[in-house]
Amino acid sequence: MAGNVNPTVRRRRLGQELRRLREERAMTAEQVADRLLVSQSKISRLENGRRSISPRDVRDLCGVYEVEDQLLVDSLMQMARESRQQGWWHAFAELSTTYSVYIGLETDASSLRVFEPQVVPGLLQTEAYAEAVISGALPEVGQDEVASRVQVRMRRQHRLWDDRNPLRLWAVVDEAVLRREVGGPATMVEQLHRLAECAQLPNVTLQVMPFSAGAHPGVNGQYAVMEFPEASDSTVIYLEGGTSDLYLEKPHDVQYYSVMYEHLRAQALSPEHSRAFIAKLTADYGS
């Protein structure tokens, strides 16, 4: 069982339980921090799952919350041990903490809705396209690190083809994504073929937002909506930044971005027309 544990998700679920216990005691994070002689930010990071948590931390928090159910304490401490295990992505030491958090969430997600205004979504990229994108976006990174990042990106794509637990992907891409020549014509033709192939998968829906649509709810940039199979796991909105990423889980944030995504899907070309659009662009590259 331990081999199937996702440490990122374990931290997140554990954080939610600890927040629930604190709120049941009507205590603020500041009050808990004062009791334990730690910073308030540490308590917040433990509760949002962004920081590794030790069984000792769990024991101390349960003491503050006066948890009398020893079975619950033992269960939470076991979750803390599992949250400190290594996911497959931890083998790549150069990955940032924020990227590792994202991969952990994506690995456990049941569905992912993404809008991309600049480049093909990572889950749909070919190896050559991924290498060109990463090299262009990170000009000061060496070839070894570029190759490692490409390997991680290819590994992430396994979820799309997993017969037992495929990721449900809905991607809306701006027309600029398809017209921006990344890696040269041959790379683009291969990439467009890959998009057409992936669009045929039963768990993948691909739509193109044409220039003719004008202004739309995605003009503010890329974002993703991640949903999970467990009802206790809240939906996560992911906003990618240059040096740091943002994860939103508050209900009003989730509601806002989910509604905006529905507007994006409504304004974009239908999946059928999007496939025809991609086929035409592919033919244009070959002419």
Side-chain angles (χ1 to χ4, degrees), residues 220-246:
N220 290 326
Q222 178 270 356
Y223 73 91
V225 182
M226 286 185 278
E227 296 178 316
F228 302 87
E230 294 292 332
S232 59
D233 291 334
S234 58
T235 299
V236 174
I237 305 299
Y238 170 69
L239 304 173
E240 184 176 2
T243 58
S244 62
D245 300 334
L246 187 61

Side-chain angles (χ1 to χ4, degrees), residues 54-240:
S54 69
R56 179 177 177 177
D57 289 330
V58 171
R59 183 198 64 193
D60 292 346
L61 288 167
C62 286
V64 171
Y65 303 145
E66 301 178 3
V67 179
E68 298 180 354
D69 185 345
Q70 190 57 45
L71 288 177
L72 175 59
V73 175
D74 291 342
S75 175
L76 295 177
M77 290 179 69
Q78 179 60 26
M79 289 179 70
R81 296 185 188 95
E82 293 174 349
S83 75
R84 299 170 73 85
Q85 295 180 16
Q86 301 262 300
W88 64 262
W89 53 93
H90 289 108
F92 300 87
E94 72 283 352
L95 293 183
S96 66
T97 300
T98 53
Y99 191 25
S100 293
V101 168
Y102 175 81
I103 295 175
L105 291 173
E106 182 186 81
T107 299
D108 203 60
S110 57
S111 73
L112 174 65
R113 289 172 284 166
V114 61
F115 170 69
E116 277 287 359
Q118 299 292 341
V119 297
V120 171
L123 290 173
L124 302 177
Q125 292 178 6
T126 64
E127 188 170 340
Y129 184 96
E131 181 178 358
V133 165
I134 294 170
S135 297
L138 303 172
E140 298 185 1
V141 168
Q143 282 303 306
D144 287 346
E145 184 172 344
V146 170
S148 182
R149 287 172 175 267
V150 171
Q151 189 176 354
V152 170
R153 192 158 298 182
M154 296 302 103
R155 175 64 178 79
R156 286 169 50 205
Q157 295 179 5
H158 290 185
R159 281 295 313 282
L160 293 183
W161 310 88
D162 187 345
D163 292 336
R164 295 171 301 174
N165 183 32
L167 175 67
R168 177 72 178 91
L169 174 66
W170 197 306
V172 177
V173 300
D174 195 271
E175 182 177 340
V177 170
L178 307 178
R179 294 194 179 278
R180 177 171 290 105
E181 190 172 300
V182 175
T187 296
M188 286 303 300
V189 169
E190 180 188 33
Q191 179 60 71
L192 291 171
H193 280 304
R194 171 63 63 82
L195 289 177
E197 177 187 13
C198 291
Q200 298 295 331
L201 292 173
N203 55 302
V204 174
T205 302
L206 178 62
Q207 290 183 259
V208 176
M209 180 67 73
F211 289 150
S212 60
H216 56 76
V219 294
N220 290 326
Q222 178 270 356
Y223 73 91
V225 182
M226 286 185 278
E227 296 178 316
F228 302 87
E230 294 292 332
S232 59
D233 291 334
S234 58
T235 299
V236 174
I237 305 299
Y238 170 69
L239 304 173
E240 184 176 2

